[in-house]
Amino acid sequence: MQIIQSLEEFTAAIENNRAVLAYFSTESCSVCHVLKPKLEQMIALEFPQIKLLYIPSDQLPEVAAQNRIFTAPTVLVFFEGKESIRKSRAFGIEQLKAEIQRPYSIAFN
């Protein structure tokens, strides 16, 4: 999981990768800490060609604001530079996996 340090780095990652999952979290979010390893495992096993980004929203409020992120955790999935999926707060890994499956298979098969 690549830790993003700036808005420019985030934008470049979206532009330079066919598929990106951006995980927005805060240090004080206990749910975020539990969800992070589950996301990493799901991407590694099911969607290895998706670039995984971690954005600490409390440290990079400009990246969060630019993407209209107002709560943690939030997951954004981009295909070909366009936001395809947005999940915030209460969502399940299996639900997210099911939503990623179709656009991922179109992009990489």
Side-chain angles (χ1 to χ4, degrees), residues 8-109:
E8 295 76 21
E9 185 180 4
F10 178 78
T11 303
I14 301 298
E15 291 173 356
N16 297 327
N17 292 282
R18 291 179 68 192
V20 173
L21 186 144
Y23 182 57
F24 291 82
S25 174
T26 62
E27 199 56 41
S28 62
C29 173
S30 59
V31 172
C32 300
H33 296 291
V34 172
L35 188 59
K36 186 178 176 184
K38 292 179 181 182
L39 279 175
E40 289 175 314
Q41 181 182 20
M42 178 191 71
I43 295 300
L45 295 175
E46 302 290 333
F47 310 109
Q49 295 189 33
I50 291 180
K51 176 80 171 177
L52 194 52
L53 307 178
Y54 175 75
I55 302 92
S57 299
D58 46 355
Q59 296 171 17
L60 295 171
E62 67 279 4
V63 178
Q66 188 74 22
N67 289 281
R68 300 173 317 279
I69 306 298
F70 304 110
T71 188
T74 297
V75 170
L76 301 182
V77 182
F78 297 85
F79 286 98
E80 304 294 341
K82 295 186 171 117
E83 182 183 323
S84 299
I85 299 166
R86 177 181 288 253
K87 295 286 180 194
S88 292
R89 289 214 175 191
F91 60 91
I93 292 292
E94 290 301 317
Q95 176 190 15
L96 179 61
K97 181 176 152 182
E99 288 188 41
I100 293 172
Q101 191 64 52
R102 185 169 185 270
Y104 182 86
S105 64
I106 290 169
F108 294 105
N109 288 336

